[in-house]
Amino acid sequence: MNILPVAADAPWYLKAGADALLALHIGGGTLGMISGTAALFARKGSKAHAMAGTVFFVSMLCVATVGATVSPFLPTGPLHELPNAIAGVMTFYLVATGWLTVKRKGGHIGGFEKGAFWVALTVFAMGIVFIAAALNSPTGTVGNTPPEAFFVFTLVGGIAAASDLRVILKGGIAGAPRIARHLWRMCTALTIAMGSFFLGQPKFVPAFLHGTSLIFVPVLVPLLMMAYWLLRVRLGPRFRARAAA
């Protein structure tokens, strides 16, 4: 596995830089999956959850930054790797906005949220561009990726952009909607990380998982946990109010 190939006669510092990027990408991704899973199952609001969430935040920002910036320079060419670059941008956006949602005081927004809206809108638009390009390509793909895969960009980008616009127009959110915004963005980013590893790097996955449906379990767990926590956050107060009545 190599992120940024370097010529054999290249200066030592270029080779060291390429190795460092590779280590950062692999190490950050591994740490992100472990810490993200820990944050999912830790008691919300606890020190363990906060610590795991912080590690996940930092590691995923590193992975997404490396992936988005290095992809266009790979030997396959910028057009071939552009979907990977956009995936990196989308992951960075999800983690950054999810983190800021709980760090910023409820009911307040700033310039970051307004800028993030345009990032989400760009991801949505690029999904449409990739789908159209794949459908009109002789191979039926863009960078060996079929058009169906790019619906993730349109779905996630569209939902995120609509959510951002709502937050901007309201001047911020608080309470359950604020927690829900944090949850779905972080869980979606973790799902992307799990999918990139277990489905995108099968040679690093244990052999007993190959060719079985078990390989999809790590990818689906964050989505299932996200659904559970979103229901609990959204419906929990209603159930408590009914019980009190």
Side-chain angles (χ1 to χ4, degrees):
M1 182 179 179
N2 203 347
I3 286 186
L4 192 59
V6 179
D9 58 348
W12 68 268
Y13 53 83
L14 289 181
K15 296 179 181 179
D19 289 341
L21 288 174
L22 178 61
L24 184 62
H25 190 73
I26 296 175
T30 302
L31 193 58
M33 289 187 292
I34 294 173
S35 59
T37 302
L40 270 182
F41 290 96
R43 183 172 62 85
K44 303 303 173 279
S46 66
K47 290 184 178 180
H49 176 75
M51 183 179 297
T54 299
V55 174
F56 177 72
F57 168 71
V58 175
S59 59
M60 289 303 295
L61 286 189
C62 292
V63 171
T65 299
V66 172
T69 56
V70 171
S71 291
F73 298 97
L74 294 177
T76 46
L79 293 179
H80 188 278
E81 295 293 338
L82 186 56
N84 290 330
I86 298 299
V89 170
M90 180 174 69
T91 303
F92 187 102
Y93 158 87
L94 289 169
V95 174
T97 54
W99 173 265
L100 186 62
T101 295
V102 293
K103 289 301 178 180
R104 191 183 293 283
K105 186 178 180 181
H108 292 75
I109 63 169
F112 186 88
E113 285 85 357
K114 296 176 182 178
F117 164 73
W118 294 105
V119 175
L121 203 60
T122 299
V123 171
F124 170 76
M126 290 305 299
I128 295 177
V129 171
F130 289 144
I131 291 171
L135 291 175
N136 289 281
S137 170
T139 62
T141 64
V142 172
N144 296 326
T145 303
E148 295 79 9
F150 299 123
F151 280 101
V152 174
F153 291 157
T154 58
L155 179 63
V156 175
I159 293 175
S163 174
D164 287 347
L165 183 59
R166 175 174 174 269
V167 170
I168 293 170
L169 293 176
K170 293 185 66 174
I173 54 176
R178 176 168 167 260
I179 301 302
R181 176 181 169 90
H182 168 75
L183 278 169
W184 84 260
R185 288 165 188 261
M186 290 303 203
C187 288
T188 301
L190 179 58
T191 301
I192 293 173
M194 292 292 194
S196 297
F197 177 75
F198 286 94
L199 303 182
Q201 300 291 338
K203 61 184 178 181
F204 295 104
V205 176
F208 73 88
L209 292 177
H210 292 180
T212 71
S213 57
L214 292 177
I215 200 169
F216 293 98
V217 172
V219 183
L220 294 176
V221 166
L223 293 178
L224 294 175
M225 291 297 293
M226 177 181 70
Y228 165 77
W229 282 111
L230 286 176
L231 286 173
R232 184 167 177 175
V233 167
R234 290 289 191 174
L235 301 180
R238 298 180 186 178
F239 289 145
R240 287 194 293 270
R242 290 178 183 176

